Amino acid sequence: MRQIFYLVRQNLKRKPFRTWLMIGGIFLACATLFTAAILSKGIQYTLQTAGERLGADIVAVPADAREEALSALISGSPSTFYMPLSLEEKVRKTRGVQQTCAQVYLRSLDAACCVVQVALVGFDPERDFTINPWVLQKTAEPLQNNQLIVGAKVISAVVGTPAKAIGQRLMFMGKPFTVATILEPTGLGTDYTVFLTMDMAYRMTEESPLYPVPVKRDQISTILVKVDAGTDPALVAQSIEQNIPELKAVTANQLTRSFSRQLQNLVDALFVAGGIFSLLALILAGNLFALSVRQRMRELGLFRAMGAGRSLVFKLIVLEAVCIAGIGGFFGILAGFAAVYFGKDIITDMIGNLYMWPDTGYFLQTALTGMAASLLAGILGGLYPACRISGCEPYEAIRRGE
Amino acid sequence: MIRVETLSKQYKGVDVLNRINWRVEDGAFVIVTGRSGGGKTTLLSIVGGLTRPGEGKVFIDDADIWQLPEPELATLRNRKLGFVFQFPSLIPTLHVLDNVLLPIAFSGRNPNVEDREFAGSLLEMVGVTGKDDYSPSQLSGGQQRRVAIARAMINRPSIMLADEPTGDLDEKTEEEIMRLFQRINGQGTTVIMVTHALGYVKSGLAYTLKNSRLMPYEESEVASGSCAGEGEL
């Protein structure tokens, strides 16, 4: 078998340009399809897990500040939008709503502690169901006014491992706080958010020169909603909007979808490009390979004359096709992986930190599927010329190759 | 021993070989001559297991080769037969030594040190030394033909089939190649050679293919184109 591989290798080196052209076609097809498959799966994951990550099925925000509010939720961008607290009660009474909790957003600010601008959000620790599930080290004690819960990326860059942040003292708007605990990474705006009690949030606006007009205690920014089990969040969101015109209610899936639409367009384009490249690769590599075999008919006839059996010649041709397809597939997948890995920043720019990468298992599975598909294409591409040549009598092959 | 019984072959309805009976004893040096397109190469390729006959049988050492399953026929070609063709037949992507060792690879094993030494001695015998790692394109036509002869000898075949091996070579090289075949024959290998070089017909048993029939060379001259009798000898 070593000799057979040697013959294959030598033959591939015979016309390097043609060989690389065939490999290149398969490479392009594999690279684009691999990238598209990974991104597409990522979008699917992102949509699936959005609700779980958000902790709420629906987010109700002031109707006139919808985009700003959604941007704050997704990326923690600076936002100050408010609505009357009384709306929460109305939402709670909507059919299908199981639980609500309100949050108040303060002006985002550059803090001495942190490498990024952080958002300050007040919440009610007793009623909250969106933050507590993400707390890294849970404590029995409710959050005190002089304590903070910080997002995973807020100070981790400064202190190294996030766990080291616990117990650290931080100053915000001239007030000292202790970090009570930190949140696990969510990929949402919470990663860049500092949470404090609602009471403390109002007090800070009352006492800080940053807020000439303090946020009133009957004002809130968002209402997070959990719906009854088995209830469709989209229907509940619709009822909220119908009953309370001052609100826009967005389901977790809608929230994610709006941000992933741009990426989906890219993925669609990649799939189309991958499909075109695959077709071109099949035509190009298939024709070039058939031509290459035709040009070597005499040589393959000579192999038979020297004692190579039909099956050996058959294997030789198929192995050659498989090698071309395998090399193209392997490097295509590597290139696809590199594109995905180094393109992370572009994707993050498109939809913020929300995008969720498929797990390693899916990467491996896609890579293996891509390899298997390439090899299969090689086998299929090699079959026809292999059957044709190996079916010839040796002398006939020699004569036709002259 | 090679035995051919009532061998016939047609191409597109035209008789190329017609009911040929022939016997070649072990160790013989046989020359087959005849007009171009007369069926010499076809006869050689049928005897060598490269082309299936239309009718008739070919026995090599009492085995009816065209009744053998394909893998066994391939093994027979590999072990018992050596071919030298009328055209350059070295594999251009392989070096000289690898070309010579190629039939060993087709026998299902990797060449070992002894094989390499034997290949070296064959190359020495054919007069191509110090060029083991040359590419065929770096050799002259005569050298390429010599390497092809060495390759045909690598599995120590009992029969060597040569189809116009000197056809495109100059006179001096032609003489050298013919001497080489005589030397190979002297070592006990049966040689059947198709050639137009009538100067060598006295080197061995000579036959001519005329009107699809095989007959002794001298007899054919006497017959001057008649088809009297079969070419049975």
Side-chain angles (χ1 to χ4, degrees):
Chain A
M1 202 62 189
R2 205 178 70 197
Q3 290 293 312
I4 304 300
F5 271 107
Y6 177 66
L7 283 175
V8 167
R9 200 181 68 196
Q10 292 303 102
N11 191 53
L12 292 179
K13 281 156 68 178
R14 182 193 310 229
K15 300 228 175 194
F17 179 72
R18 182 159 70 188
T19 301
W20 284 113
L21 201 62
M22 289 190 274
I23 290 174
I26 294 162
F27 167 89
L28 268 181
C30 268
T32 44
L33 286 177
F34 180 83
T35 309
I38 293 295
L39 293 183
S40 177
K41 188 69 178 178
I43 289 177
Q44 204 182 325
Y45 271 11
T46 305
L47 291 173
Q48 277 171 358
T49 54
E52 186 191 322
R53 292 157 130 209
L54 197 63
D57 299 313
I58 298 167
V59 184
V61 296
D64 54 358
R66 182 179 184 272
E67 293 308 319
E68 193 186 355
L70 295 185
S71 174
L73 280 164
I74 295 295
S75 60
S77 59
S79 312
T80 48
F81 48 90
Y82 302 104
M83 59 186 166
L85 177 63
S86 56
L87 293 178
E88 189 194 353
E89 187 58 28
K90 286 186 182 173
V91 171
R92 195 179 300 139
K93 285 178 180 164
T94 306
R95 193 168 174 182
V97 172
Q98 186 196 75
Q99 202 177 347
T100 61
C101 65
Q103 291 183 347
V104 61
Y105 280 59
L106 304 190
R107 182 167 293 158
S108 302
L109 45 83
D110 292 312
C113 66
C114 312
V115 289
V116 290
Q117 197 175 53
V118 298
L120 288 174
V121 174
F123 77 112
D124 183 348
E126 310 240 321
R127 289 171 52 209
D128 174 77
F129 53 86
T130 62
I131 297 161
N132 287 332
W134 295 99
V135 168
L136 197 64
Q137 288 184 8
K138 292 184 172 62
T139 54
E141 296 293 314
L143 193 72
Q144 303 300 307
N145 271 354
N146 62 346
Q147 290 182 316
L148 300 171
I149 295 175
V150 297
K153 294 187 179 167
V154 170
I155 53 175
S156 61
V158 178
V159 296
T161 53
K164 284 187 184 166
I166 296 172
Q168 288 229 338
R169 291 179 69 79
L170 301 175
M171 293 282 283
F172 284 106
M173 294 191 193
K175 294 198 178 297
F177 293 92
T178 307
V179 176
T181 187
I182 57 170
L183 300 178
E184 286 183 48
T186 63
L188 291 167
T190 50
D191 286 352
Y192 302 95
T193 303
V194 170
F195 292 93
L196 62 164
T197 62
M198 206 91 147
D199 177 48
M200 194 60 194
Y202 291 123
R203 264 174 57 191
M204 281 172 80
T205 68
E206 286 158 7
E207 295 166 15
S208 169
L210 281 172
Y211 279 85
V213 180
V215 180
K216 292 175 188 163
R217 285 185 179 256
D218 62 354
Q219 285 183 313
I220 54 171
S221 299
T222 57
I223 303 164
L224 299 151
V225 179
K226 187 178 266 186
V227 300
D228 289 330
T231 308
D232 181 1
L235 292 176
V236 179
Q238 210 176 351
S239 314
I240 291 171
E241 285 189 359
Q242 276 170 358
N243 299 338
I244 315 161
E246 301 95 314
L247 291 182
K248 281 284 173 196
V250 183
T251 64
N253 275 351
Q254 285 170 334
L255 185 71
T256 321
R257 203 168 288 132
S258 67
F259 280 84
S260 59
R261 192 165 297 136
Q262 208 179 345
L263 187 61
Q264 186 63 55
N265 291 340
L266 173 72
V267 170
D268 291 346
L270 281 174
F271 268 124
V272 169
I276 292 169
F277 285 146
S278 300
L279 195 67
L280 288 177
L282 278 177
I283 294 168
L284 179 82
N287 278 320
L288 285 177
F289 190 72
L291 176 73
S292 150
V293 173
R294 254 201 319 276
Q295 285 178 342
R296 282 185 297 136
M297 256 185 134
R298 179 201 272 185
E299 193 174 301
L300 295 165
L302 286 170
F303 284 178
R304 300 277 308 278
M306 282 184 256
R310 254 189 197 133
S311 64
L312 195 141
V313 170
F314 183 89
K315 275 186 224 162
L316 198 67
I317 296 169
V318 172
L319 190 64
E320 205 174 297
V322 165
C323 281
I324 289 169
I327 293 169
F330 178 75
F331 285 107
I333 288 164
L334 275 189
F337 183 80
V340 166
Y341 184 80
F342 293 109
K344 263 181 178 175
D345 292 344
I346 299 167
I347 293 161
T348 307
D349 283 349
M350 278 180 172
I351 63 165
N353 299 294
L354 191 61
Y355 186 75
M356 192 169 169
W357 292 97
D359 53 27
T360 315
Y362 185 78
F363 267 89
L364 278 176
Q365 190 191 327
T366 310
L368 288 176
T369 308
M371 265 319 284
S374 306
L375 295 177
L376 187 68
I379 291 171
L380 292 176
L383 269 182
Y384 175 67
C387 285
R388 241 180 114 228
I389 296 285
S390 62
C392 256
E393 283 184 348
Y395 179 63
E396 177 68 9
I398 291 169
R399 214 165 59 97
R400 279 164 63 183
E402 281 176 7
Chain B
M1 187 185 66
I2 300 169
R3 202 168 79 245
V4 172
E5 291 181 358
T6 59
L7 188 72
S8 298
K9 179 78 178 175
Q10 288 190 328
Y11 276 124
K12 296 176 181 171
V14 177
D15 280 337
V16 179
L17 302 172
N18 188 10
R19 298 182 62 75
I20 287 173
N21 291 294
W22 193 29
R23 183 193 288 260
V24 177
E25 298 296 338
D26 288 344
F29 191 105
V30 177
I31 287 180
V32 179
T33 187
R35 279 165 50 185
S36 290
K40 304 183 295 295
T41 300
T42 303
L43 175 65
L44 207 66
S45 66
I46 291 175
V47 169
L50 303 180
T51 304
R52 188 169 285 279
E55 282 174 40
K57 292 179 177 180
V58 176
F59 294 90
I60 292 179
D61 296 340
D62 295 326
D64 183 351
I65 67 166
W66 288 106
Q67 292 302 314
L68 294 174
E70 198 278 334
E72 283 182 37
L73 181 58
T75 305
L76 182 133
R77 285 195 295 259
N78 183 253
R79 303 276 162 82
K80 287 195 174 178
L81 303 175
F83 291 91
V84 180
F85 294 94
Q86 58 186 312
F87 49 82
S89 63
L90 298 185
I91 307 306
T93 52
L94 302 179
H95 293 147
V96 165
L97 186 64
D98 288 336
N99 258 291
V100 175
L101 291 168
L102 195 55
I104 291 178
F106 294 144
S107 68
R109 65 185 179 86
N110 292 320
N112 55 31
V113 178
E114 285 164 17
D115 295 325
R116 286 174 189 280
E117 282 174 2
F118 183 54
S121 68
L122 286 172
L123 285 169
E124 200 178 322
M125 184 187 87
V126 300
V128 184
T129 48
K131 294 183 164 62
D132 289 6
D133 56 354
Y134 276 40
S135 148
S137 61
Q138 292 173 288
L139 302 179
S140 68
Q143 285 173 325
Q144 288 191 33
R145 205 57 49 86
R146 288 159 198 267
V147 174
I149 292 169
R151 184 177 65 189
M153 293 293 293
I154 190 72
N155 276 337
R156 297 178 173 87
S158 54
I159 300 163
M160 176 83 94
L161 302 170
D163 185 6
E164 298 192 38
T166 59
D168 56 351
L169 301 177
D170 61 67
E171 206 171 314
K172 185 169 173 284
T173 313
E174 182 182 300
E175 275 178 29
E176 285 170 3
I177 298 285
M178 289 304 288
R179 272 204 297 275
L180 196 54
F181 276 109
Q182 282 165 346
R183 194 171 158 196
I184 289 165
N185 177 244
Q187 291 169 354
T189 305
T190 306
V191 175
I192 301 177
M193 182 188 291
V194 164
T195 182
H196 282 298
L198 297 177
Y200 296 101
V201 292
K202 287 180 182 167
S203 306
L205 293 165
Y207 298 91
T208 189
L209 251 174
K210 203 166 191 180
N211 299 329
S212 315
R213 305 284 180 109
L214 187 71
M215 51 193 80
Y217 179 70
E218 287 174 358
E219 186 186 330
S220 73
E221 279 191 328
V222 173
S224 65
S226 73
C227 300
E230 291 182 359
E232 188 170 356
L233 299 156

